[in-house]
Amino acid sequence: MKIDTLFLSGPQGSGKGTQARILADKRGYFHWEMGALLRAEAKTETEVGKKIAVLINAGSLVSDVIIKQVLDVKFKTIPKDQTIMFDGFPRNMEQADFLLAFLHEHGRKDFVTMLLDIPKDESLKRLLLRAQVEHRLDDTPETIEKRLYIYEMETLPMLNTLRDKTYFIDIDGRSSIEEVSRLIENALTQLDD
Ligand code: AMP
């Protein structure tokens, strides 16, 4: 099976950003990191940028209107035959609905979802550690709690619907970066033609 689209998901701190970068390197996938795109936009002094900054810093999701604009603009820049790896998108049911419809309209149909999972206490531990290193404004104990709450209430139910709508792979994200990368590579190799 030739994957044309991979949805990489998992709770905050699961290491999906790191694994996405490894995959982009190894397999030439286009790494669509929604959080990074939004953080870059937030740095601009535009009206939209300011709105995004407020929402990110509060640990809330950015509105679907803005997400759809980012989707429209960014998608056009990606070659048709390049596999897109969405990292942190979709995050809720509405996003999954419009993203899947959009991709279908643009001729993409071989969807794989990969859930990189770690327990909640591990997420908390890793994010608090990252807070000391990266100084992200949204890595305070309150916003971390809020983002994990949104993950449980909105992202997890959405992922459960993707279990039926896409080819679904569960990966245990608790091990080392190298071991998790090996698990991911094994799972994807099974899908290679
Ligand atoms: P992340 O880097 O994936 O942890 O994302 C950081 C922040 O960016 C999130 O807490 C949200 O405020 C925003 N964000 C990232 N992806 C999305 C998305 N798909 N929908 C809405 N907001 C998002």
Side-chain angles (χ1 to χ4, degrees), residues 74-86:
K74 191 78 192 168
F75 187 82
K76 292 194 182 90
T77 68
I78 304 167
K80 275 199 170 61
D81 58 356
Q82 188 173 14
T83 301
I84 303 179
M85 171 175 46
F86 287 101

Side-chain angles (χ1 to χ4, degrees), residues 164-180:
D164 298 327
K165 292 183 182 157
T166 68
Y167 185 92
F168 204 95
I169 300 170
D170 286 284
I171 299 282
D172 183 344
R174 284 174 300 180
S175 318
S176 65
I177 292 174
E178 293 73 25
E179 174 61 11
V180 172

Side-chain angles (χ1 to χ4, degrees), residues 111-141:
F111 302 148
V112 172
T113 306
M114 187 177 279
L115 169 56
L116 193 53
D117 210 5
I118 55 170
K120 190 175 173 188
D121 57 345
E122 183 67 23
S123 267
L124 272 171
K125 206 169 79 189
R126 291 187 185 182
L127 286 180
L128 289 170
L129 263 177
R130 185 174 81 182
Q132 294 169 10
V133 182
E134 290 185 15
H135 305 294
R136 262 172 60 165
L137 284 174
D138 60 341
D139 274 348
T140 64

Side-chain angles (χ1 to χ4, degrees), residues 89-101 158 161-162:
F89 181 41
R91 284 275 233 277
N92 59 23
M93 211 78 90
E94 294 73 29
Q95 289 187 5
D97 287 345
F98 71 70
L99 179 56
L100 261 60
M158 177 279 293
T161 70
L162 292 189

Side-chain angles (χ1 to χ4, degrees), residues 16 34-35 38-39 56 60-62 67 88-89 91 95 136 138 147:
K16 66 184 162 53
M34 196 51 117
L38 294 170
R39 278 192 292 280
I56 290 183
S60 306
L61 288 186
V62 172
I67 297 294
F89 181 41
R91 284 275 233 277
Q95 289 187 5
R136 262 172 60 165
D138 60 341
R147 282 151 61 213

Side-chain angles (χ1 to χ4, degrees), residues 62-79:
V62 172
S63 70
D64 286 353
V65 179
I66 293 176
I67 297 294
K68 280 182 185 163
Q69 281 171 7
V70 175
L71 176 62
D72 268 333
V73 172
K74 191 78 192 168
F75 187 82
K76 292 194 182 90
T77 68
I78 304 167

